[in-house]
Amino acid sequence: MPNIAENIRAIRENMEQAAKSAGRAPEEILLCAATKMNDAGAVREAVAAGVDCCGENRVQELVQKLAEGAYTGRPVHFIGHLQTNKVRQVVGKVDLIESVDRTELLECIEKTAEKMDVIQPILLEVNIGAEESKSGFTKEEAAALAARMREFPHVALKGLMAIPPVSEFPGENCRYFAEMRNLFVDIKAKKYDNVSMECLSMGMSDDFTDAIAEGSTMVRIGTAIFGKRNYNT
């Protein structure tokens, strides 16, 4: 069984080293525990060990773990692909939806949030590697949508998220992370209504130190915290 607390301690040390090497303050970068396929007990261990937030990929798991109080004491984010017919189970239940990857989903979140009389914070997911197998906006689409956020008064754009292509070599994804940082900075400089660029969510277990070096403000770590997922169960 993985020692979750020890794993988190090691990840924190690597995060701190990566931040300092890049001339950044370590406290600028948040650690999000990607909790997919881990039970409430494991999530509670991660919370107790000091992760900054928890990220859930699946609506069914989110609903179950919320009922079990798994995330108590930390913000919870939705980080997976979200179907429009499940939006009502997520809006108002999570502190941040990181994976808004299409305009149809944004419009559905706005309508649902209006009915609930809440403002739902989100990130726009950018398909930075232009991969056909992945959803997400192009850089140009994300920039254009940010300029329109005043049209969505019940949604608050807090930043961007990306999952770059799987890399074969260390450092191979740095160019994608740098592109995301540039896009983030460009949108932030525009000072659009209903946009506060606070979060650049990028970097996972295999590449989070590179992401930090290139400007990530939040890394999403699953395997390095909880161990490899068993997809056969």
Side-chain angles (χ1 to χ4, degrees):
M1 293 292 291
N3 188 315
I4 291 172
E6 285 187 7
N7 291 345
I8 290 172
R9 188 159 45 248
I11 291 165
R12 286 287 191 191
E13 291 175 358
N14 289 333
M15 289 174 64
E16 181 176 358
Q17 183 177 353
K20 289 181 176 177
S21 296
R24 303 179 62 197
E27 57 268 22
E28 292 178 0
I29 303 120
L30 301 179
L31 172 57
C32 179
T35 54
K36 181 174 73 173
M37 298 178 67
N38 289 283
D39 62 22
V43 177
R44 290 191 195 98
E45 282 189 56
V47 168
V51 297
D52 296 300
C53 55
C54 298
E56 200 62 71
N57 286 72
R58 298 172 176 174
V59 173
Q60 184 176 352
E61 284 193 57
L62 172 72
V63 172
Q64 179 179 342
K65 290 174 194 172
L66 279 171
E68 294 171 338
Y71 315 110
T72 300
R74 290 294 184 273
V76 58
H77 298 180
F78 191 80
I79 62 176
H81 182 73
L82 181 56
Q83 298 172 316
T84 53
N85 65 351
K86 294 184 178 180
V87 162
R88 69 185 183 280
Q89 296 175 274
V90 176
V91 168
K93 308 293 194 305
V94 300
D95 298 272
L96 185 66
I97 300 174
E98 295 197 27
S99 48
V100 177
D101 57 4
R102 57 203 188 280
T103 305
E104 176 194 17
L105 177 58
L106 176 60
E107 292 170 343
C108 186
I109 292 171
E110 166 64 28
K111 291 177 182 176
T112 304
E114 182 179 16
K115 290 178 182 176
M116 293 182 173
D117 194 25
V118 299
I119 295 177
Q120 177 63 59
I122 67 159
L123 305 182
L124 296 180
E125 181 175 353
V126 179
N127 184 356
I128 193 62
E131 297 175 272
E132 291 185 4
S133 61
K134 288 181 181 174
S135 56
F137 297 102
T138 64
K139 291 188 296 181
E140 295 75 18
E141 289 169 343
L145 193 53
R148 293 179 48 211
M149 284 306 298
R150 67 172 66 89
E151 300 172 22
F152 305 93
H154 295 86
V155 179
L157 178 58
K158 298 295 185 179
L160 305 174
M161 184 267 264
I163 304 172
V166 175
S167 60
E168 295 184 24
F169 307 102
E172 196 172 23
N173 278 337
C174 286
R175 64 187 180 103
Y176 296 115
F177 293 141
E179 286 183 43
M180 285 298 303
R181 181 195 65 235
N182 291 338
L183 177 62
F184 179 83
V185 170
D186 287 346
I187 294 174
K188 186 173 185 176
K190 298 293 196 305
K191 300 186 184 302
Y192 293 127
D193 291 342
N194 202 22
V195 177
S196 58
M197 300 298 280
E198 303 166 9
C199 181
L200 179 56
S201 177
M202 57 185 193
M204 298 189 289
S205 291
D206 292 333
D207 57 12
F208 69 89
T209 55
D210 288 335
I212 290 171
E214 297 296 341
S216 173
T217 69
M218 179 185 296
V219 295
R220 308 178 306 274
I221 311 295
T223 300
I225 292 176
F226 301 105
K228 290 187 177 180
R229 299 181 179 97
N230 183 359
Y231 288 92
N232 295 319
T233 57

